[in-house]
Amino acid sequence: MANGDKGGWKEYLWNPRTREFLGRTASSWGLILLFYLIFYIFLAGLFALTMYIMLQTLDDHKPTWQDRLATPGMVIRPNTDETFEIVYNIQNTESWDMYAQALDKFLAPYNDTLQAQKNHECTPDQYFQQEDSGDVKNNPKRSCQFNRTILEECSGLNDRYYGYREGQPCIIIKMNRVIGMLPGKDGQTPSVTCAAKRDDSDKLGELVYFPPNGTFNLMYYPYYGKKAQVNYSQPLVAVKFLNITVNQEVNIECKINANNIPLGGDRDKFAGRVSFKLRINTIN
């Protein structure tokens, strides 16, 4: 590089005669920095104001916007993995004891003493609505007791093995929570029914439901959300299989029955129903 070029670059970086740095004087650089400082402070303030206004529209206890599900999903317990398969051998204690332990853990919050301490004794067969009065929030909202004893033979209180040792296992079913949902209308209580899938219809045998008829009582609805209803206990339905065919896999589907809850289509197999496989072995 020629000496003239070097001199030109040096003079551009710093010109001692005009006292310019990169072609600008100190006052020019100061005005530019001041402009960008004010510009970015304005942007930050605008963002903060927008966030503040948006947060004023939100409710800590209830979502402002909700993608309301027409049909809630259903799940079963015990559920040891994502395959929804319950397989065990009556003669092998270890194969079914894990299911009993899983149900014990799941039902512990439903013990009658805990429910009496935390929750309210509600009037059955009617919605337990606790609406706000204008801007006055009715929080925290009370929750209805769901006592473990309601599940009777499937409560684990009289039979700590939940029927698994005798080959008459209990399955617990619950419906997913949906804020504000009122299942059933005109006083009709939603219920659960289970049946074997077509190829296994002759293998299922007799079933018994707890509570009777497999109902979700209306008093547990509507659900107001985790923050508004801290102690909410989801209602449960237990199904006991009395004489299912052993040493064969039985495909079972349980679904919700309510006059205002449509069943999901083939695209969503968990909407309003749950499918699982049950196999009870008696030989090694």
Side-chain angles (χ1 to χ4, degrees):
M1 184 180 289
N3 291 333
D5 292 336
K6 290 182 178 180
W9 276 106
K10 288 181 179 179
E11 188 170 310
Y12 174 72
L13 289 173
W14 172 249
N15 190 327
R17 290 180 294 100
T18 59
R19 304 188 68 79
E20 292 179 348
F21 176 69
L22 294 178
R24 292 183 180 276
T25 61
S27 60
S28 177
W29 278 113
L31 289 173
I32 289 176
L33 292 175
L34 180 63
F35 168 79
Y36 279 108
L37 178 63
I38 295 173
F39 176 69
Y40 284 114
I41 289 176
F42 170 77
L43 289 181
L46 182 63
F47 175 76
L49 178 62
T50 304
M51 290 296 295
Y52 174 78
I53 294 173
M54 185 192 72
L55 290 173
Q56 298 310 301
T57 67
L58 302 180
D59 189 327
D60 288 340
H61 299 90
K62 181 181 179 181
T64 304
W65 303 105
Q66 180 174 289
D67 184 12
R68 174 67 180 272
L69 297 174
T71 306
M74 299 177 68
V75 294
I76 65 167
R77 294 291 185 272
N79 179 24
T80 55
D81 52 39
E82 296 179 357
T83 60
F84 286 87
E85 292 185 0
I86 297 176
V87 181
Y88 71 95
N89 190 309
I90 293 176
Q91 298 180 19
N92 183 358
T93 303
E94 292 183 358
S95 69
W96 51 259
D97 188 56
M98 62 178 180
Y99 296 127
Q101 290 184 30
L103 288 175
D104 270 339
K105 183 177 180 181
F106 174 69
L107 291 176
Y110 291 92
N111 286 338
D112 291 20
T113 52
L114 289 177
Q115 289 292 311
Q117 291 172 11
K118 299 190 302 181
N119 292 336
H120 182 67
E121 192 170 341
C122 302
T123 303
D125 304 322
Q126 64 183 43
Y127 297 125
F128 187 39
Q129 294 180 308
Q130 306 168 77
E131 301 302 330
D132 300 327
S133 301
D135 293 333
V136 180
K137 302 298 183 183
N138 181 22
N139 293 320
K141 300 184 188 298
R142 293 176 296 171
S143 301
C144 296
Q145 294 180 20
F146 187 94
N147 294 317
R148 186 170 177 174
T149 49
I150 293 174
L151 301 179
E152 299 183 39
E153 294 179 30
C154 290
S155 66
L157 299 175
N158 298 322
D159 175 12
R160 60 185 294 263
Y161 303 119
Y162 300 90
Y164 283 82
R165 183 172 64 175
E166 292 77 24
Q168 297 180 333
C170 290
I171 304 295
I172 308 293
I173 301 170
K174 65 175 182 175
M175 186 164 55
N176 291 343
R177 305 178 185 187
V178 178
I179 294 177
M181 184 182 71
L182 297 173
K185 64 179 181 179
D186 302 325
Q188 186 193 71
T189 303
S191 63
V192 171
T193 54
C194 297
K197 293 192 175 180
R198 184 171 51 189
D199 296 338
D200 296 333
S201 58
D202 59 336
K203 302 176 185 177
L204 187 60
E206 186 181 355
L207 310 178
V208 61
Y209 298 93
F210 306 101
N213 302 317
T215 56
F216 291 116
N217 201 286
L218 297 179
M219 66 181 176
Y220 300 107
Y221 305 98
Y223 170 60
Y224 289 98
K226 187 178 292 186
K227 284 192 173 182
Q229 222 169 352
V230 179
N231 295 325
Y232 182 75
S233 297
Q234 279 178 270
L236 308 173
V237 168
V239 186
K240 188 177 182 66
F241 299 87
L242 298 181
N243 52 357
I244 194 168
T245 301
V246 297
N247 301 314
Q248 293 188 44
E249 187 176 88
V250 183
N251 293 279
I252 302 165
E253 180 180 87
C254 298
K255 63 181 181 179
I256 186 72
N257 304 291
N259 53 10
N260 64 344
I261 299 180
L263 283 179
D266 292 335
R267 292 184 178 180
D268 191 351
K269 296 183 178 180
F270 293 97
R273 57 188 174 183
V274 60
S275 298
F276 59 96
K277 296 178 181 179
L278 177 60
R279 182 185 178 105
I280 304 172
N281 294 318
T282 59
I283 54 177
N284 293 321

